[in-house]
Amino acid sequence: MNESFTVKFSYKGKSVAVEDISRGTSASVLLAEARASFNVDDDVILRLIFKGKTIAQDIMDDDDGVVDNEGNNNNHPAFRIGTKIPKGGAKVIVMGSATARGIRHLNSLRSDPLMRGFEDERQSDKNDKATSSSRQLTTFWGPLHGSQDARYKFCRFQECTDASFGSRPGASTPHAFEARRLLERLATDPGIVSVLRSRELVVGTLGEIDPIDDRLVQRKQQEGVCVLGYNTNRGMRIDVKLRTDDLGGFRTYGELASTLVHELSHNWVGEHDVLFWTNYGQMRIEYLWTHARLMRGGVFVNGKRTAALAGVVDMIVSPEGGGNAARNSNDTPTDSQTMDIICQSVIVELAREMAQHHLPVQLVAPAVLAFSKELMIETKDDATLHIGGRRLGTTEVQPSTQNSGNAGTSARELALAAAEKRAREGKDRSG
């Protein structure tokens, strides 16, 4: 059982054969033979591998940090009973790892307090997930009107974090942090919040289109189409092209908000048909009407109207090409006059966009105008947008006048009732 055989050590491309090795040779003796064969420093920790298994390994003493080849763990035979030795001898791979001196030096170093370990990273991820839903977003629209609805909202935000976007010295394009703030500004826009709430929409992720390497955008550009946003799986994710083509800055906020409303309309209709443009026009009416009501309610954010911050004052006060004929310069327009201006603005906008799809705006104008009248009725007694607003020259918040017929009825109930009414009327006409 203790017949001798040859062991061929292999280390760093070199091979050395050692004779007179038996099954009784201990692991410590075999390690010493390997070290002597290649003149390996005593400070290097060796490991011997035979047929894919470790048969011997240097042990480091925890007290003084030196390599101990005579420890109890290496007194066992290197080739255990039952191990088959080839006729030509055993081929053993010798592997050298860190030196004892190096390990001792590493153990003496203090961990960097600014770097987190794996456990700290895992705990940080758990904390981020636990607080992400309750994290306060950028309060661009003020403390009263600068938050999402608790239920109908954008759940996550994803800006483009490419290293070239504003993080390199001398870069002219805005940083990813600014893109994140812009996404949050869109999500908390009072007009967007109103559209999401009234239609009970929940969007998984609001993200930024990669302005350099977005394959869908590149494919559409080859077809001659300019893509400013797209909707994935009907609201699972919406991406908007925030940056200009030259990457020098962001697109105008009014254009971004209009694009976001456009993509939200795709939650119901995928194709750009008459039904889509009808729904989009109605959502634009609601978006502008929300800012118009905040304007009429005397709501200011950092000294500006929300309509001015959203870049839609001209669509509320004076429609494109319509001048200011809807009201005299010295008179405050009524709700009906303001809604008429909004409808004119939206119809002009629809005509321009629908022309690209060879559709006349006359197909959707009646439905959009009917919706505007219903929206005025539904929001007549809703004072939520006037909370905190003050008329110039007064010191108290203007109270809302409750209609006795609708007292106690929420805006959501009124909206549902109006939607049911529209459905009944459509059914009667089709019948």
Side-chain angles (χ1 to χ4, degrees):
M1 290 297 292
N2 288 330
E3 68 275 8
S4 62
F5 51 88
T6 302
V7 171
K8 186 177 181 180
F9 292 115
S10 177
Y11 179 65
K12 291 185 177 182
K14 298 180 181 180
S15 298
V16 174
V18 177
E19 305 289 343
D20 298 328
I21 302 296
S22 67
R23 290 183 179 275
T25 302
S26 66
S28 61
V29 172
L30 199 63
L31 283 166
E33 291 284 356
R35 191 179 299 277
S37 298
F38 299 102
N39 296 319
V40 180
D41 294 338
D42 292 340
D43 207 29
V44 177
I45 299 176
L46 295 183
R47 174 185 295 184
L48 306 183
I49 299 176
F50 176 63
K51 291 185 176 182
K53 296 182 179 181
T54 300
I55 59 175
Q57 181 177 1
D58 283 330
I59 301 170
M60 185 172 176
D61 194 300
D62 292 334
D63 295 329
D64 55 15
V66 298
V67 176
D68 179 15
N69 287 336
E70 303 299 332
N72 294 329
N73 290 339
N74 278 331
N75 285 335
H76 61 81
F79 299 95
R80 298 180 183 274
I81 298 175
T83 302
K84 293 183 179 181
I85 306 297
K87 293 182 179 179
K91 295 181 180 181
V92 176
I93 298 175
V94 181
M95 298 183 64
S97 58
T99 65
R101 187 185 303 107
I103 294 177
R104 192 163 56 245
H105 174 69
L106 290 176
N107 290 338
S108 65
L109 295 178
R110 293 180 57 188
S111 60
D112 188 344
L114 300 181
M115 295 182 64
R116 289 186 290 197
F118 293 114
E119 287 298 329
D120 293 333
E121 283 289 346
R122 282 191 284 269
Q123 186 61 39
S124 177
D125 290 342
K126 291 181 180 179
N127 294 338
D128 289 343
K129 292 179 180 179
T131 59
S132 59
S133 59
S134 60
R135 188 180 69 85
Q136 189 71 23
L137 301 182
T138 303
T139 312
F140 182 87
W141 305 95
L144 295 178
H145 305 289
S147 60
Q148 296 197 90
D149 186 85
R151 297 175 60 188
Y152 309 115
K153 60 183 179 180
F154 299 94
C155 300
R156 291 172 295 279
F157 303 94
Q158 186 174 3
E159 66 280 12
C160 198
T161 56
D162 191 287
S164 65
F165 293 157
S167 59
R168 295 180 179 176
S172 60
T173 188
H175 196 278
F177 297 153
E178 297 181 44
R180 172 70 177 228
R181 285 193 291 267
L182 183 53
L183 291 174
E184 294 182 356
R185 175 182 174 184
L186 286 166
T188 55
D189 185 324
I192 298 295
V193 172
S194 180
V195 169
L196 292 175
R197 183 185 294 117
S198 65
R199 287 161 174 75
E200 299 185 355
L201 295 178
V202 178
V203 178
T205 301
L206 177 60
E208 176 190 4
I209 289 179
D210 189 327
I212 296 178
D213 188 24
D214 189 286
R215 296 185 179 181
L216 176 61
V217 174
Q218 292 174 352
R219 186 171 72 249
K220 291 295 184 180
Q221 286 177 342
Q222 294 175 356
E223 299 172 1
V225 179
C226 179
V227 176
L228 298 179
Y230 53 80
N231 186 318
T232 304
N233 289 343
R234 302 212 170 184
M236 183 182 77
R237 180 187 179 96
I238 290 179
D239 291 90
V240 179
K241 191 174 183 180
L242 301 182
R243 303 172 193 270
T244 55
D245 293 335
D246 62 1
L247 303 182
F250 292 125
R251 298 178 182 274
T252 62
Y253 183 81
E255 181 183 15
L256 296 175
S258 176
T259 300
L260 181 54
V261 175
H262 181 109
E263 298 308 323
L264 286 171
S265 184
H266 279 302
N267 277 31
W268 288 277
V269 187
E271 299 297 326
H272 291 95
D273 55 14
V274 173
L275 181 58
F276 169 84
W277 291 111
T278 301
N279 185 54
Y280 169 68
Q282 293 173 349
M283 294 171 75
R284 282 293 282 169
I285 291 286
E286 184 170 1
Y287 176 85
L288 295 173
W289 181 241
T290 300
H291 283 290
R293 293 175 63 212
L294 287 171
M295 178 184 291
R296 293 175 60 81
V299 176
F300 289 85
V301 178
N302 295 326
K304 293 183 179 181
R305 305 283 195 181
T306 63
L309 297 175
V312 294
V313 173
D314 291 342
M315 300 185 71
I316 295 173
V317 176
S318 175
E320 295 184 18
N324 204 16
R327 60 183 178 92
N328 297 325
S329 59
N330 296 326
D331 296 334
T332 300
T334 63
D335 287 349
S336 297
Q337 291 173 333
T338 301
M339 181 60 84
D340 288 342
I341 296 174
I342 291 175
C343 289
Q344 293 178 46
S345 301
V346 172
I347 289 176
V348 170
E349 185 180 74
L350 286 172
R352 181 171 59 250
E353 297 185 14
M354 292 177 65
Q356 302 175 17
H357 299 271
H358 310 290
L359 293 173
V361 72
Q362 289 78 7
L363 294 176
V364 302
V368 171
L369 295 174
F371 173 81
S372 68
K373 295 178 181 179
E374 295 173 357
L375 183 62
M376 288 181 59
I377 296 175
E378 295 168 8
T379 58
K380 180 179 180 181
D381 300 309
D382 182 10
T384 55
L385 293 185
H386 297 281
I387 297 176
R390 295 182 179 178
R391 297 287 185 181
L392 294 179
T394 65
T395 58
E396 296 182 356
V397 177
Q398 298 295 321
S400 62
T401 304
Q402 292 289 342
N403 187 306
S404 59
N406 291 327
T409 305
S410 66
R412 173 175 167 75
E413 292 171 338
L414 290 171
L416 291 174
E420 292 176 357
K421 179 182 176 182
R422 288 196 298 271
R424 288 196 301 269
E425 292 176 350
K427 185 177 180 181
D428 293 340
R429 285 196 295 270
S430 62

